[in-house]
Amino acid sequence: MTTGVGKVLVTRKIQRRGRSVLVTVGVPQPFSSTDSSYVCRLRIEGLQPGPMMIRATGDQPVQALLSGLGEVSSRLSVTLPDFLSDAHIGGDLTPLHA
């Protein structure tokens, strides 16, 4: 099954509004071959009936990533440090802080 985010950078399961929510964050990629900006795709599953896709952009990969994580933080009403505290690298669920 494809997540629609490209290569997975980080995943996180979190409880919100009485539901188990899965957030998948893709590795930022160049927006296009002719543009110098980057795009980071994120997917939120379990918060609404269908998956929610977020596409964040920035002039640098880290800017696109932080923009996307900020959007997730806002939508889930969780601070970025709390969100990342139990995040896992990639899709293998290896703890981020291990």
Side-chain angles (χ1 to χ4, degrees):
M1 182 176 102
T2 180
T3 62
V5 300
K7 185 175 179 183
V8 176
L9 178 63
V10 172
T11 56
R12 169 73 150 96
K13 287 184 182 177
I14 190 169
Q15 291 292 318
R16 283 294 172 260
R17 301 181 195 160
R19 299 178 180 182
S20 181
V21 176
L22 174 64
V23 179
T24 307
V25 180
V27 173
Q29 299 292 318
F31 191 76
S32 73
S33 60
T34 60
D35 191 344
S36 62
S37 61
Y38 289 81
V39 62
C40 182
R41 292 175 178 85
L42 304 94
R43 179 181 172 113
I44 301 173
E45 298 173 73
L47 196 58
Q48 59 187 29
M52 181 186 315
M53 298 298 293
I54 297 171
R55 200 171 93 165
T57 59
D59 291 335
Q60 299 292 322
V62 71
Q63 289 174 322
L65 175 61
L66 289 175
S67 177
L69 289 174
E71 183 70 25
V72 166
S73 175
S74 175
R75 288 183 189 226
L76 297 180
S77 300
V78 62
T79 65
L80 192 52
D82 285 343
F83 175 79
L84 292 173
S85 67
D86 279 335
H88 296 80
I89 297 172
D92 66 0
L93 299 180
T94 302
L96 185 62
H97 54 276

